[in-house]
Amino acid sequence: MQQPRLYRNTFNTERFASFTLQYRDTDLWIGVDHGSFCTEMAEFLRDEVVHIWNCLEGYIQNHPEFQTSHSPIILPENAPETAILMAKAGSRAGAGPMAAVAGLFAWHAGETLRQKSGCKEIIVENGGDFYLFLENDLIMTIYAGTSPLSEKIGVVIPARATPCGVCTSSGTLGHSFSYGKADALMVSCHSPLLADAWATSLANRIQSPDDIQPVLNFSEEFPEIQSLIIICEDKVGIRGNFDTKFVKK
């Protein structure tokens, strides 16, 4: 059963016309500029989501390690393209393929809209993982549960850096598995699949606030990481190319 995602109530409905799409474990919130919105979007995107699920489930049935591995795996060339993309993203980040599954669906929905609908702006959110295609800059705040820094820090996503992915992992919130204890770890990459895999992988390294700086230092080795914000308890670490702002509620 899908859990209600109350944080979506804070999304900008003046800027974006939105709809939701649920199928199996995928629960998308999709926003586009009002001038591009049409009701047919939900129908053709649902067909795309169903197709990807069918491909992945068919592959997992014969290769269960694809779903269960928390370590990188290499797939044969005849594997489905979507599975190969997930495995490559996971391998780059030192994680299993499923670390990129939410980013995969967000990316595919966003790119399908961008190529078929000519939207000026697109946001696809899938459990805290985002695909963004923007005409103007956007400030995204970070929800970090009981941390005193929750929703106090905003990252400025520049329109010139999109399309891109912005993904968040947590060891204290949500249903996704994590070895770590970060309240929130947000990563931005050009690819939503990479952002998703890196968010999972880096969050696994955070056991206490003392781990924030070593993880920031480690992330510098990977140029695809455009921005990284780590919140653990009352401490925050920030690295990257995007501006950040402290938000007053």
Side-chain angles (χ1 to χ4, degrees):
M1 179 182 295
Q2 300 286 357
Q3 297 297 314
R5 301 190 174 185
L6 300 180
Y7 58 84
R8 290 176 172 173
N9 294 333
T10 66
F11 290 176
N12 190 336
T13 55
E14 292 185 6
R15 180 168 173 177
F16 301 101
S18 67
F19 58 96
T20 58
L21 193 163
Q22 295 89 25
Y23 183 77
R24 304 285 180 87
D25 293 334
T26 298
D27 183 358
L28 304 178
W29 182 94
I30 299 156
V32 302
D33 59 285
H34 285 272
S36 300
F37 176 78
C38 66
T39 56
E40 291 80 7
M41 288 177 173
E43 184 176 346
F44 72 72
L45 283 181
R46 180 178 175 82
D47 290 343
E48 294 288 330
V49 168
V50 171
H51 174 69
I52 294 175
W53 263 106
N54 289 340
C55 288
L56 290 178
E57 289 184 329
Y59 190 75
I60 288 169
Q61 187 173 5
N62 295 312
H63 303 85
E65 70 279 4
F66 181 88
Q67 185 176 35
T68 59
S69 178
H70 291 175
S71 300
I73 61 175
I74 299 175
L75 301 191
E77 292 183 358
N78 63 351
E81 180 184 6
T82 50
I84 291 174
L85 290 172
M86 290 169 60
K88 285 183 176 180
S91 293
R92 175 64 176 171
M98 294 300 288
V101 67
L104 169 77
F105 281 98
W107 165 77
H108 190 80
E111 280 296 289
T112 299
L113 278 177
R114 187 167 76 95
Q115 294 172 16
K116 292 187 177 182
S117 301
C119 296
K120 295 180 179 179
E121 294 200 298
I122 303 168
I123 293 184
V124 182
E125 182 266 335
N126 187 15
D129 297 328
F130 290 81
Y131 167 96
L132 300 171
F133 177 63
L134 303 173
E135 190 173 45
N136 298 294
D137 296 354
L138 179 72
I139 298 176
M140 300 180 67
T141 57
I142 304 171
Y143 179 72
T146 59
S147 167
L149 295 172
S150 182
E151 297 184 288
K152 299 294 179 59
I153 298 171
V155 58
V156 181
I157 310 298
R160 57 177 167 75
T162 65
C164 71
V166 178
C167 298
T168 303
S169 183
S170 173
T172 60
L173 299 168
H175 64 276
S176 297
F177 179 84
S178 176
Y179 289 106
K181 297 180 181 178
D183 291 298
L185 186 147
M186 175 184 279
V187 177
S188 176
C189 297
H190 176 69
S191 161
L193 286 87
L194 272 175
D196 193 9
W198 271 120
T200 299
S201 178
L202 295 177
N204 286 340
R205 295 171 174 262
I206 303 292
Q207 299 297 323
S208 75
D210 292 339
D211 296 317
I212 292 177
Q213 190 58 52
V215 170
L216 291 176
N217 294 342
F218 172 74
S219 72
E220 293 179 358
E221 301 176 23
F222 302 93
E224 68 267 22
I225 298 176
Q226 299 170 320
S227 181
L228 171 62
I229 300 175
I230 306 169
I231 298 173
C232 187
E233 299 176 10
D234 61 346
K235 299 295 189 297
V236 61
I238 300 171
R239 184 191 78 77
N241 304 326
F242 298 169
D243 292 337
T244 55
K245 295 183 177 183
F246 283 89
V247 180
K248 294 182 179 180
K249 289 288 184 178

